[in-house]
Amino acid sequence: MSRMTQAMGTGFKVLAGSDVPAYTLEYLTPTKNKKVGDYETIVINYIEIGRDKKCAIHFDENTPTVSRKHSAIEKKKEEIVIKNLSQTNPTLVNGRPVNNQWFLNNGDEIQFS
């Protein structure tokens, strides 16, 4: 991850299989419970990401660029999309803001800032 990306906020990469609803997340910035380079695999059709403890991908309170319910990743038929749920903090994919939803590809970098 470049220095510019690090300055923009918290993020991870999505590495997804096309035949199964599995998401492998690589953390690019540290959180309270995750180091840079840690991986996490999620196998569900819909996950929410944020600081809310009910989110499947939960960031701690020390990540103010992440909203309580920041975004969601959902498998829709053969496609995987990310939806921006935050009214105040943007979700970016490969440096581009997600206005409503964005179709994800293997290796996409997601940032919350």
Side-chain angles (χ1 to χ4, degrees), residues 27-46:
Y27 286 80
L28 301 178
T29 52
T31 68
K32 183 178 179 181
N33 298 317
K34 300 289 182 184
K35 305 180 302 217
V36 172
D38 279 355
Y39 287 88
E40 183 172 356
T41 300
I42 307 295
V43 184
I44 53 179
N45 287 322
Y46 179 86

Side-chain angles (χ1 to χ4, degrees), residues 4 6 12 18 32 34-35 57 61 88-89 96 98:
M4 182 176 172
Q6 288 175 339
F12 53 78
S18 62
K32 183 178 179 181
K34 300 289 182 184
K35 305 180 302 217
I57 304 297
E61 294 300 317
T88 55
N89 295 318
R96 294 181 171 171
V98 175

Side-chain angles (χ1 to χ4, degrees), residues 32-103:
K32 183 178 179 181
N33 298 317
K34 300 289 182 184
K35 305 180 302 217
V36 172
D38 279 355
Y39 287 88
E40 183 172 356
T41 300
I42 307 295
V43 184
I44 53 179
N45 287 322
Y46 179 86
I47 60 171
E48 288 186 347
I49 302 156
R51 289 184 293 138
D52 189 305
K53 292 183 182 189
K54 294 178 184 175
C55 290
I57 304 297
H58 174 248
F59 288 87
D60 59 54
E61 294 300 317
N62 295 330
T63 50
T65 62
V66 178
S67 297
R68 297 259 174 240
K69 290 200 174 185
H70 198 104
S71 19
I73 298 175
E74 181 175 19
K75 182 169 169 88
K76 291 184 172 184
K77 297 183 183 179
E78 298 302 316
E79 302 288 335
I80 299 172
V81 298
I82 187 164
K83 298 177 180 182
N84 185 37
L85 303 178
S86 177
Q87 298 290 321
T88 55
N89 295 318
T91 299
L92 299 112
V93 175
N94 302 324
R96 294 181 171 171
V98 175
N99 293 323
N100 185 24
Q101 70 179 19
W102 188 275
F103 291 93

